[in-house]
């Protein structure tokens, strides 16, 4: 079974600064998908960014980018120019590509605080 | 974009009673929906995979007789917590994926249901 580990329960960043959230995973599969989801106080899960394992190029979405290291099974999220609205729980998630009906496995989450 | 609606958003029930939570895909047909449970300050744990027209697939450790899942149509899945106990109090979230989306498409989540059992 796949596991996803987020070793930072809490992180803090000043507004306009950059922060990196860590995520590692364990799998024996070669094809899979990785996601970062954001959960604000409203508890709504919001997709931040996604990465296909077969792509070497790191995904970017505006201020959000990832550092995907397949050999190391690492998938960190970098948030640039942090904004107050970025404060939330961030979950790293893994999805197999082997027909398991899109089941997502989540990490334990990192709570991000953004300070003035 | 695809919308998943969950109802109710908050429910309080007494111990021993049953409560039903609905998950609807509003603008697409979802043959598969997923039910997650989230305890305070913890991650989302998959409870079961709901399959339209067939039995749900439950994760290890989840009591299928306690958490009844019905997926009777392509747009509706229901989770019924039977004989609720205070330890069932939690945040329940459903999700679905648009079947026609590319393989790397994400799940679409409902807004969740906060269940409190007194």
């Amino acid at each position: 079974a796949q596991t996803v580990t987020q070793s930072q329960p809490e992180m803090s960043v000043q507004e306009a600064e950059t922060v990196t959230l860590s995520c590692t995973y364990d799998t024996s599969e070669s094809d899979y998908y990785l996601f970062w989801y954001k959960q604000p106080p409203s508890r709504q899960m919001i997709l931040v960014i996604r990465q296909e394992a077969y792509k070497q190029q790191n995904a970017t979405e505006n201020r959000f980018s990832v550092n995907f290291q397949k050999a190391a099974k690492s998938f960190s999220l970098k948030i640039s120019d942090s904004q107050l609205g970025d404060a939330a729980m961030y979950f790293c998630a893994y999805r197999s590509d082997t027909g398991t009906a899109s089941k997502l496995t989540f990490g334990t989450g990192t709570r991000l605080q953004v300070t003035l | 974009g695809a919308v998943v609606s969950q109802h109710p958003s908050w429910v309080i029930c007494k111990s021993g009673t049953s409560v039903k939570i609905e998950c609807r895909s509003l603008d697409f047909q979802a043959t598969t929906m997923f039910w997650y449970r989230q305890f305070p300050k913890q991650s989302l744990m998959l409870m079961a995979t709901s399959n339209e027209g067939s039995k749900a697939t439950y994760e290890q450790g989840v009591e299928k007789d306690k958490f009844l899942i019905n997926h009777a149509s392509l747009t509706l899945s229901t989770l019924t917590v039977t004989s609720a106990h205070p330890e069932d109090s939690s945040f329940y979230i459903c999700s679905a994926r648009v079947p026609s989306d590319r393989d790397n498409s994400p799940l679409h989540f409902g807004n969740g249901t906060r269940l409190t059992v007194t």
Side-chain angles (χ1 to χ4, degrees), chain B residues 4 6-7 11 15 23-25 36-37 45 50 52 57 62-64 70 74 77 84 87 90 95-96 104 113-115:
Chain B
V4 175
Q6 198 170 331
H7 178 81
V11 59
S15 290
C23 179
R24 295 181 184 272
S25 55
Y36 287 86
R37 182 174 183 176
M45 301 300 296
S50 173
E52 187 271 334
T57 304
V62 178
E63 299 176 60
K64 60 181 66 177
N70 184 282
L74 287 171
S77 175
E87 56 264 32
S90 188
S95 66
N104 67 344
T113 297
R114 183 185 302 278
L115 170 63

Side-chain angles (χ1 to χ4, degrees), chain A residues 2-68:
Chain A
Q2 293 81 22
T3 58
V4 179
T5 303
Q6 293 178 249
S7 59
Q8 306 154 316
E10 292 189 5
M11 292 284 285
S12 182
V13 63
Q14 282 191 323
E15 197 177 18
E17 296 297 310
T18 297
V19 64
T20 299
L21 308 184
S22 301
C23 172
T24 58
Y25 57 94
D26 187 26
T27 184
S28 58
E29 299 174 333
S30 58
D31 293 322
Y32 48 87
Y33 304 99
L34 297 165
F35 304 87
W36 277 98
Y37 279 89
K38 168 185 177 181
Q39 188 181 42
S42 67
R43 307 293 288 271
Q44 174 70 49
M45 296 292 286
I46 302 168
L47 176 70
V48 175
I49 199 166
R50 77 190 84 176
Q51 175 82 42
E52 295 93 332
Y54 62 84
K55 288 188 177 179
Q56 293 185 338
Q57 185 173 7
N58 290 324
T60 62
E61 287 287 344
N62 300 314
R63 298 183 295 107
F64 300 89
S65 61
V66 298
N67 183 1
F68 173 49

Side-chain angles (χ1 to χ4, degrees), chain B residues 66-84:
Chain B
K66 179 166 187 62
F67 299 100
L68 299 179
I69 291 173
N70 184 282
H71 195 153
S73 77
L74 287 171
T75 59
L76 174 64
S77 175
T78 61
L79 167 67
T80 301
V81 182
T82 63
S83 187

Side-chain angles (χ1 to χ4, degrees), chain A residues 39 44 52 95 101 103 107, chain B residues 34 38 43 46 103-104 111:
Chain A
Q39 188 181 42
Q44 174 70 49
E52 295 93 332
R95 180 165 76 81
K103 182 167 69 174
Chain B
F34 303 91
Q38 186 179 28
S43 186
L46 180 66
D103 286 343
N104 67 344
N111 287 336

